[in-house]
Amino acid sequence: PVCSMGNSSSRLYSALAKTLSSSAVSQHQDCLEQPDSTQLDPIDPKDLLEECQIVLQKRPPRFQRDFVDLKKNTASNHRPIRVMQWNILAQALGEGKDNFVQCPMEALKWEERKCLILEEILAYKPDILCLQEVDHYFDTFEPLLSRLGYQCTFFPKPWSPCLDVEQNNGPDGCALFFLKDRFELINSANIRLTAMKLKTNQVAIAQTLKCNETGRLFCIAVTHLKARTGWERFRSAQGCDLLQNLKSITQGAKIPLIICGDFNAEPTEEVYREFSNSSLNLNSAYKLLSPDGQSEPPYTTWKIRPSGECRHTLDYIWYSQHALNVNSALGLLTEEQIGPNRLPSFNYPSDHLSLVCDFSFNQDPDRLL
């Protein structure tokens, strides 16, 4: 049962409820057409959060995660830029292919899981949001986030595994959202990654933005590399291709860069070393949470499949360390919070944890190159 609400709230609830309808499910041919949400009224994030909490009232409350302050006495004369990276788990894969043997099917119901995803986004209020495995872009994320003030871009995989699942909602892909009142879009590129000169099924979006407050340009990119053991060389080739594209877009690191992604690669893999040693002078933001600033977190995904328990570090936020400072990073869920059945669960909507960092511009980036 839904609590009684005032008029504006019930209009909002109806907007949220409409994204539950499956009318868009069979319209795969429209997946690349941008719907027009400019005619819709803006949504107050507090109202949307309240509506999500009504839908989730029978679920346990959100876990508490705290930001860790990483500032090194660097004064910044502008508001930090908050960036969120998250593989949200494609609905079709969660229900149809991923075999989370300890996760009840009821926990994966889209009507509620969608609200858990939105609740997480609304809780951290990112200025820029980078998502992977998005298969409900046109009926959920674009209509709602555009009304929260985000400019929205989606690039689906050419042959999404979601399409093999009955009653799917179209292909999954990468999505990038930024707040229009904070940034101006200067350039946008949809990149289909290549490996050994061949086009692959993995994609990236790279956008050059201008920060309205400082006038500074920077590039934000989102990607999702090939999964599975045995594909390490393939991922390495995809990573090289992405880096080449980003070198061109950033004019060889003249424009600061932030890359968010599910790389499907542990820090021991070649593709990780390529990013670490790139001429773009990149560092991985979540290393800064470790005592020595040199080690990645112990996990960013933790699930149980028929083959056993999978606990890996696969998700990263890379940044130009000469041009940007990491002011803070969101701590990860503890093993105790995750619980013995691991992820996803009634508490948490994805098998990957969200990563969130606050960035500021260095005052004199060229001096550090």
Side-chain angles (χ1 to χ4, degrees), residues 59 103-110 112-113 346:
R59 293 214 180 198
C103 178
M105 283 304 283
E106 196 185 339
L108 295 169
K109 280 188 347 197
W110 181 240
E112 294 180 10
R113 198 173 77 85
F346 282 109

Side-chain angles (χ1 to χ4, degrees), residues 28 92-93 96-97 159-171:
H28 297 165
L93 301 183
K97 278 191 164 222
W159 316 294
S160 166
C162 292
L163 299 178
D164 298 335
V165 178
E166 273 188 52
Q167 296 183 306
N168 65 75
N169 201 64

Side-chain angles (χ1 to χ4, degrees), residues 140-152:
T140 300
F141 294 104
E142 194 278 340
L144 289 172
L145 291 174
S146 63
R147 295 174 69 187
L148 291 169
Y150 289 92
Q151 183 150 330
C152 313

Side-chain angles (χ1 to χ4, degrees), residues 119-220:
E119 186 183 45
E120 181 95 344
I121 294 166
L122 290 162
Y124 300 119
K125 306 185 181 105
D127 300 303
I128 299 170
L129 173 63
C130 294
L131 302 180
Q132 298 86 35
E133 289 201 23
V134 179
D135 62 347
H136 275 269
Y137 176 81
F138 291 106
D139 65 358
T140 300
F141 294 104
E142 194 278 340
L144 289 172
L145 291 174
S146 63
R147 295 174 69 187
L148 291 169
Y150 289 92
Q151 183 150 330
C152 313
T153 306
F154 176 63
F155 192 25
K157 291 175 187 163
W159 316 294
S160 166
C162 292
L163 299 178
D164 298 335
V165 178
E166 273 188 52
Q167 296 183 306
N168 65 75
N169 201 64
D172 76 302
C174 292
L176 201 163
F177 308 85
F178 66 84
L179 285 176
K180 291 185 285 190
D181 66 353
R182 286 215 67 183
F183 311 106
E184 178 190 343
L185 179 63
I186 303 300
N187 180 52
S188 185
N190 286 357
I191 303 163
R192 186 169 166 193
L193 298 174
T194 63
M196 298 80 170
K197 305 289 185 194
L198 296 172
K199 287 188 181 298
T200 72
N201 192 34
Q202 279 64 46
V203 299
I205 304 167
Q207 296 190 331
T208 304
L209 305 181
K210 183 166 98 175
C211 174
N212 292 335
E213 192 178 330
T214 62
R216 298 275 292 271
L217 293 181
F218 67 101
C219 175
I220 177 79

Side-chain angles (χ1 to χ4, degrees), residues 222-241:
V222 55
T223 195
H224 187 187
L225 301 187
K226 172 72 183 159
R228 306 274 181 268
T229 317
W231 291 85
E232 291 81 5
R233 287 183 64 192
F234 196 83
R235 278 192 286 276
S236 173
Q238 288 183 327
C240 284
D241 183 49

